Amino acid sequence: MSETHTAKIVVMGVSGCGKTTVGERLGQELGLAFIDGDSLHPAENVAKMTAGTPLNDSDRAPWLAAVGRELAGSPGGLVIACSALKRHYRDAIRAQAPEVFFVHLAGSREVLAARMEGRTGHFMPAGLLDSQLATLEKLGADELGVVLDISAPPKILVGAAVVRLEDQRAGQRRSGARR
């Protein structure tokens, strides 16, 4: 893990997939700070979601800009949880932090709904899960990142994310050496 300490990582996916749990543990594993992207939402966004109203793209724009700024302003690396559901949302983050690595936590609607219904103290109601799933665009083949199945325990997910991040960084070193 010699170079992963400077990684800029977004743990992404719909609500209930485990972004905070995996993000916190991934940060600990790599010795990086962790930020829950929910804390960067403007108050108006939180109010909308609490009321059960899905956010639109213009609602998300200042939030995505804040996520990108946090990553760009962290030269030592950072792990941040952010849904990053659409490709152009991820593009907005990449515009400020081009080297960002996405860890997409994916799972079935049934597992996600059960997790959301079982948690307390979160502003995102389970009723918004379907709108998030409808919005979700999976990582493209040209996007740096990995898709992980949330049926695995968090420890396994963190380990898999670290391995893929290291593989990606090793590939970059090899391609850079060939130039």
Side-chain angles (χ1 to χ4, degrees):
M1 278 185 278
S2 61
E3 291 189 49
T4 56
H5 68 283
T6 61
K8 295 179 183 188
I9 302 166
V10 170
V11 180
M12 63 167 281
V14 299
S15 190
C17 70
K19 292 184 295 291
T20 300
T21 299
V22 171
E24 286 175 340
R25 292 181 183 190
L26 185 57
Q28 290 169 355
E29 177 72 19
L30 297 173
L32 297 174
F34 169 78
I35 296 175
D36 189 329
D38 286 344
S39 69
L40 302 175
H41 270 294
E44 302 80 34
N45 287 5
V46 174
K48 279 183 92 167
M49 290 183 285
T50 300
T53 304
L55 299 180
N56 59 41
D57 287 357
S58 63
D59 294 328
R60 287 187 179 96
W63 174 59
L64 294 167
V67 169
R69 276 193 307 276
E70 288 291 334
L71 288 165
S74 300
L78 177 66
V79 177
I80 191 163
C82 170
S83 57
L85 298 177
K86 289 184 179 181
R87 171 69 184 242
H88 76 268
Y89 300 166
R90 297 187 296 273
D91 289 344
I93 294 168
R94 264 192 298 272
Q96 295 183 61
E99 68 280 16
V100 66
F101 184 86
F102 291 93
V103 176
H104 177 189
L105 302 178
S108 71
R109 186 201 181 286
E110 294 73 27
V111 169
L112 293 161
R115 287 182 177 191
M116 288 181 76
E117 289 166 7
R119 69 183 181 182
T120 58
H122 195 279
F123 61 81
M124 177 68 84
L128 290 182
L129 176 59
D130 289 328
S131 73
Q132 285 205 328
L133 288 169
T135 300
L136 178 64
E137 297 173 1
K138 296 187 182 192
L139 283 178
D142 62 330
E143 293 183 272
L144 293 179
V146 61
V147 179
L148 301 175
D149 184 341
I150 63 170
S151 63
K155 181 178 181 174
I156 300 298
L157 296 171
V158 168
V162 169
V163 166
R164 290 299 296 271
L165 178 63
E166 288 180 348
D167 287 349
Q168 180 267 325
R169 287 167 98 56
Q172 284 180 333
R173 284 192 303 271
R174 282 191 300 274
S175 67
R178 285 185 230 150
R179 291 182 193 185

